[in-house]
Amino acid sequence: MLDQPEETHGDGVAPELKDREVLLSVNNIEVIYNHVILVLKGVSLAVPKGGITALLGGNGAGKTTTLKAISNLLKSERGEVTKGSILYRGERVQHLSPSDLVERGVIQVMEGRHCFEHLTVEENLLTGSYTRKDRAAIADDLDLVYSYFPRLKERRKSQAGYTSGGEQQMCAIGRALMSRPETILLDEPSMGLAPQLVEEIFGIVKSLNENEGVSFLLAEQNTNVALRFAHYGYILESGRVVMDGPAKALRENADVKEFYLGMSDEGRKSFRDVRSYRRRKRWLA
Amino acid sequence: MPDQLLFAMEVSLNGLMTGIMYALVALGFVLIYKASGIFNYSQGVMALFAAMTLVGIQEGRVPFSHLINSIFGTHITEFGFEVPALLAILLTVAVMIAFALFVQKFVFRHLVGQEPIILFMATIGLAYFLEGVSDLMWGSEIRQLDVGLPQGINGAIDNATFEALGYGFFIDNLDISAAIIAAILVAVLIAFAQYTKQGRAMRAVADDHQAALSVGISLNYVWILVWSLAGIVALVAGVMWGSKSGVQFSLSLIALKALPVLMLGGFTSIPGAIIGGLIIGMGEALFEFVVSSNDLFGAWFGFTFSATENWFAYVLALAFLVFRPQGLFGERIIERV
Ligand SMILES: Nc1ncnc2c1ncn2[C@@H]1O[C@H](COP(=O)(O)OP(=O)(O)OP(=O)(O)O)[C@@H](O)[C@H]1O
Ligand SMILES: [Mg+2]
C-alpha cells in the first residue's frame, strides 16, 4: 500500500482560518460510475467557513467528481458515493437532492459554465434564485451581482449563448450567487479563458470571499493561479489526495513547484514516478 | 372574379382552420420534446383519452363500468346526472394532470439518462396502454361531444363575402371558435413560458438539464408540469376535433398529421408548430382542390387525383426537410466555444 510522508500533509486548515468552523467535510469517500468504474479512492477534505479551498490536479484526477459528489449532481451521471461520508454543518448530505443542497447554501458552478444558452443573461441569473421565496430580496441581489459583474449588466438582455466565454463564466458565477450561497463549489473557472480574464475572475472570487463571506471549494488545473488566491490546497491524483497544505506552503514545496507549477526542465510528472508515497490515512474516521 | 379563384380562397380558409387543429396537436409534442427530449408518440392518444374522459364526465358515465359490471354482475353504466360542460372540462384537466403525475412517477422517472430511442419506445408503450385504459374506462363507442361551441355556417362571413365577391364563403363557426381558442391557448402558454418563474425553469430545463439541476430546479417537477400542459393541449385538440367529427378511435390518428407539421416547423419551436400547422393545413386543402378538380388539373393533364390529404403533408414536409433540416423555426443551434 502506498502511503505518503508526513511532511506533505497540512493540518486541513490554513493557519489564518484555524479557529473557523468547518462547513463541509468530506471523509474518505469512494465514488463509482456505472457500478464499475472506481474513480475516487478515498478522498477527504475540509472546507472552513470563509475560506477559499483549492482542489488541484491534472486531467481525470477526480476534481469534478469530488465536487459533484458533494452537490449530488453525480446521480444524474450514474455515479454513486459507495463509501465514506459527506457532512455539511454536521449533517449527512449524501441522500439529499441538489435542490435540497442549494437550499442549505451549497451550490455548484459547473465546469464549462453551462449557461442556459437561449435564456437572456438576466433570466439566467434569475434561475439561480429558483429555490428562494423572498421576492423583494431577489431584486436586491440582482443588483449586487451586477455590481460585481458590471459587464453582465451591459449584456443583460442578450441571449447567454451569444456572449463571450468570460461573460458566460461570470454569468454562471452570478447565477450561483443568486441563490444566496454560503459555499460555492467552483469547477475550473479558468478553463479556456485568456490569462487576463482569469485574473479578473479570480479577483472577483476573492472579493466575494472577503466582502460577502462566501466560502469556496475551487477545482483547478491552473495550480499557479489557484494557489495565489486560495488559503488552502489539496492535490488530487488518480482519485486520491496525495498532498495538502496551506496555499503558501504548497507554493513553496519543491515537488509542487516541479510537478504542478512547471518550474522544472523535466516537465510534469506524477509524484509516483519519483518516490513511493506511503499514504497516511489521517482523515480516516 | 373567376369562380375557381373564389373556390380556392374558400378552400384555403378552411384549410387554415384545419391547420390550427394540426398546430394544436403539434404543440403538445413540442412542449414535451423541448423540456425532456422525449418524442411523445402518445400525444394523439392523449387527445382521444381527454376527449373520451370529457364526454364520459359530461354524460355522467361510470368509469370502468364494463369491468365493474362483469366482476360484480351489476348493471350500472351511468350516475344518472349530467355534469355542466365547464365543470366537466375542469375535471378532465384534473385527470390529465393525474395522468402526467402517473407517467412521471411510474415511467420516465426510472428512465432518466436513457437514450432518446428508449424513451421513444416507452411512449409507444404508453400510447397503447392509454388506448387500453381509455377503452376500459369509457368503452369504445363513438360519442358525440358538445361543449356548447357554436356550430354551423357563419352567417356574417357568408353575407359579407357574398356582398363583396358575389359568392358566400362557407366557414364553420366551430372552426372559428377553434381558431380563437387555439390562439388564446398559445398566447397563454407563451406568456407562461416567458414571464413566470416556472416557465423560466421550464425553458432552463429545455436548454441544459445538468445546469438546471445545479441551480436547484427539480427536473421531476418540471417534467410533470410539461406533461400536464401537453395533456391540457391534448384536451383542447380533442375537444375541437371531437366536436367536429365525434369522439372515436380515429381521433388518436391526428398525431400522424402533426408529424409533418413538426418536420416543417421544427421540434422545438412553439411558433414553428403554429405556422407549420397553418402551412400544412392550407397547402393540403389547396393541393387537393387543384389536383382533384376536373377543370384545373384534369383539363391540363387529363386525369385527377383524390384523397391526397393522406400523403401530401408528408411530401411537403420531406421537401422542407431536405432544405432546412432544423425546420422553419427550429431553434438555431448556437455554436461557440
Ligand atoms: N460519467 C462518467 N462515467 C464514467 N466515468 C467518468 C464519468 N465522469 C468522469 N469519469 C471518469 O472519472 C475520472 C475523473 O474525472 P473527473 O471529471 O472527476 O476529473 P477532473 O479532475 O475533473 O478532470 P479535468 O481536469 O479534466 O476536468 C476520469 O477518469 C473520467 O474518465
Ligand atoms: Mg473536471
Side-chain angles (χ1 to χ4, degrees):
Chain A
M1 179 107 210
L2 295 171
D3 220 350
Q4 82 182 105
E6 299 273 321
E7 78 267 18
T8 60
H9 261 306
D11 303 323
V13 202
E16 66 267 36
L17 300 172
K18 231 176 181 95
D19 43 356
R20 297 290 178 85
E21 165 196 10
V22 172
L23 280 181
L24 172 71
S25 71
V26 173
N27 306 301
N28 204 36
I29 58 164
E30 206 175 83
V31 168
I32 297 185
Y33 281 110
N34 290 321
H35 300 294
V36 285
I37 311 164
L38 177 65
V39 170
L40 296 190
K41 304 155 189 165
V43 168
S44 300
L45 54 87
V47 176
K49 190 166 173 55
I52 300 179
T53 307
L55 192 55
L56 307 164
N59 280 117
K63 305 179 295 295
T64 300
T65 304
T66 308
L67 295 195
K68 286 190 170 169
I70 299 166
S71 64
N72 260 325
L73 289 173
L74 263 192
K75 272 185 217 141
S76 62
E77 294 202 15
R78 320 191 106 239
E80 199 186 349
V81 178
T82 50
K83 263 193 204 153
S85 65
I86 301 171
L87 304 179
Y88 193 76
R89 290 183 165 277
E91 179 196 10
R92 266 177 167 266
V93 291
Q94 273 134 291
H95 61 281
L96 297 181
S97 68
S99 100
D100 291 331
L101 273 154
V102 174
E103 282 179 36
R104 281 167 180 68
V106 185
I107 192 164
Q108 176 162 359
V109 176
M110 285 194 288
E111 179 179 336
R113 314 186 255 277
H114 285 265
C115 295
F116 302 116
E117 320 192 300
H118 296 100
L119 271 61
T120 65
V121 167
E122 185 151 305
E123 285 174 335
N124 263 277
L125 296 179
L126 287 172
T127 57
S129 63
Y130 182 80
T131 53
R132 292 172 56 179
K133 306 204 163 50
D134 44 344
R135 270 174 169 246
I138 290 174
D140 292 343
D141 285 354
L142 197 57
D143 289 336
L144 181 79
V145 169
Y146 284 141
S147 73
Y148 278 97
F149 302 101
R151 269 213 256 173
L152 291 185
K153 186 159 195 173
E154 288 165 30
R155 310 232 43 190
R156 56 196 280 217
K157 296 285 173 217
S158 320
Q159 267 190 36
Y162 290 110
T163 59
S164 74
E167 286 160 348
Q168 288 189 9
Q169 187 62 61
M170 295 176 183
C171 179
I173 297 175
R175 183 174 70 187
L177 281 176
M178 288 301 291
S179 71
R180 282 249 171 127
E182 185 175 43
T183 304
I184 294 183
L185 312 171
L186 183 53
D187 200 351
E188 270 180 70
S190 76
M191 193 196 217
L193 300 184
Q196 202 185 343
L197 212 50
V198 172
E199 287 296 318
E200 188 180 337
I201 301 253
F202 272 85
I204 295 171
V205 165
K206 191 173 159 73
S207 58
L208 283 169
N209 172 254
E210 284 168 1
N211 306 334
E212 310 298 327
V214 182
S215 312
F216 284 88
L217 177 58
L218 169 73
E220 258 302 344
Q221 284 204 31
N222 190 335
T223 313
N224 189 355
V225 181
L227 285 182
R228 267 194 294 120
F229 287 90
H231 300 107
Y232 199 86
Y234 292 83
I235 297 180
L236 218 55
E237 256 186 36
S238 326
R240 289 197 172 91
V241 175
V242 292
M243 184 187 269
D244 70 274
K248 191 162 172 297
L250 289 181
R251 273 202 308 270
E252 285 157 10
N253 180 292
D255 294 329
V256 175
K257 271 187 183 167
E258 185 173 352
F259 303 120
Y260 288 97
L261 297 173
M263 296 175 187
S264 134
D265 311 323
E266 298 162 60
R268 228 163 88 166
K269 281 195 239 158
S270 165
F271 275 110
R272 290 202 196 155
D273 299 338
V274 210
R275 56 187 187 203
S276 46
Y277 282 117
R278 300 194 53 231
R279 221 159 59 84
R280 204 182 59 163
K281 297 181 206 138
R282 66 193 293 277
W283 290 97
L284 267 179
Chain B
M1 215 181 283
D3 284 355
Q4 294 295 352
L5 191 60
L6 285 174
F7 294 155
M9 282 168 70
E10 185 186 20
V11 164
S12 313
L13 271 177
N14 277 307
L16 277 180
M17 298 292 171
T18 318
I20 289 167
M21 306 271 194
Y22 298 163
L24 271 184
V25 184
L27 193 60
F29 280 102
V30 168
L31 280 172
I32 293 181
Y33 186 77
K34 247 182 103 112
S36 61
I38 296 175
F39 180 81
N40 177 24
Y41 181 81
S42 65
Q43 186 68 30
V45 184
M46 280 167 69
L48 170 72
F49 174 70
M52 274 291 185
T53 305
L54 179 58
V55 181
I57 294 176
Q58 256 192 309
E59 295 180 352
R61 281 175 199 288
V62 179
F64 300 109
S65 57
H66 279 300
L67 194 65
I68 295 171
N69 292 340
S70 58
I71 293 177
F72 300 104
T74 47
H75 294 284
I76 37 166
T77 50
E78 288 180 12
F79 288 116
F81 54 82
E82 298 210 337
V83 179
L86 196 63
L87 182 60
I89 289 174
L90 289 178
L91 287 172
T92 311
V93 167
V95 171
M96 295 316 284
I97 293 173
F99 173 70
L101 282 164
F102 168 87
V103 164
Q104 195 52 37
K105 186 159 171 57
F106 293 105
V107 186
F108 293 107
R109 228 187 132 121
H110 306 284
L111 297 178
V112 171
Q114 295 285 3
E115 301 285 322
I117 185 72
I118 293 180
L119 298 171
F120 173 63
M121 303 284 221
T123 68
I124 296 184
L126 192 65
Y128 287 106
F129 169 76
L130 190 59
E131 206 182 298
V133 168
S134 174
D135 209 56
L136 208 59
M137 251 175 116
W138 307 111
S140 53
E141 298 88 353
I142 299 177
R143 307 221 188 273
Q144 289 313 310
L145 174 64
D146 183 7
V147 289
L149 292 174
Q151 303 250 8
I153 184 168
N154 185 299
I157 292 182
D158 190 24
N159 287 337
T161 48
F162 187 79
E163 306 237 314
L165 307 165
Y167 170 74
F169 284 8
F170 183 100
I171 308 278
D172 199 319
N173 270 322
L174 190 62
D175 287 334
I176 297 175
S177 29
I180 295 170
I181 292 172
I184 294 172
L185 183 71
V186 170
V188 169
L189 274 177
I190 290 179
F192 173 78
Q194 216 58 37
Y195 302 113
T196 67
K197 178 173 158 179
Q198 297 304 343
R200 195 160 55 222
M202 211 166 86
R203 286 184 295 138
V205 169
D207 255 10
D208 192 328
H209 288 184
Q210 278 273 319
L213 268 179
S214 83
V215 294
I217 294 172
S218 152
L219 294 184
N220 200 36
Y221 180 81
V222 169
W223 287 334
I224 290 172
L225 183 69
V226 292
W227 275 84
S228 303
L229 291 176
I232 291 169
V233 171
L235 170 64
V236 174
V239 168
M240 302 304 171
W241 210 273
S243 311
K244 211 170 170 168
S245 31
V247 181
Q248 52 185 315
F249 173 73
S250 67
L251 185 67
S252 64
L253 300 179
I254 49 176
L256 297 180
K257 285 292 184 188
L259 288 182
V261 172
L262 292 170
M263 284 151 81
L264 199 69
F267 282 74
T268 53
S269 161
I270 292 179
I274 311 298
I275 310 281
L278 294 179
I279 292 179
I280 297 261
M282 191 166 93
E284 187 179 87
L286 261 183
F287 184 75
E288 169 87 20
F289 172 74
V290 172
V291 299
S292 66
S293 149
N294 280 317
D295 298 336
L296 298 170
F297 196 80
W300 304 325
F301 296 96
F303 64 97
T304 59
F305 282 109
S306 60
T308 58
E309 74 270 12
N310 290 328
W311 54 265
F312 173 75
Y314 280 90
V315 174
L316 184 64
L318 275 176
F320 254 91
L321 212 52
V322 171
F323 296 107
R324 249 189 99 80
Q326 77 273 43
L328 268 181
F329 295 86
E331 243 160 21
R332 292 252 292 279
I333 298 150
I334 298 180
E335 275 181 50
R336 68 172 312 153
V337 197

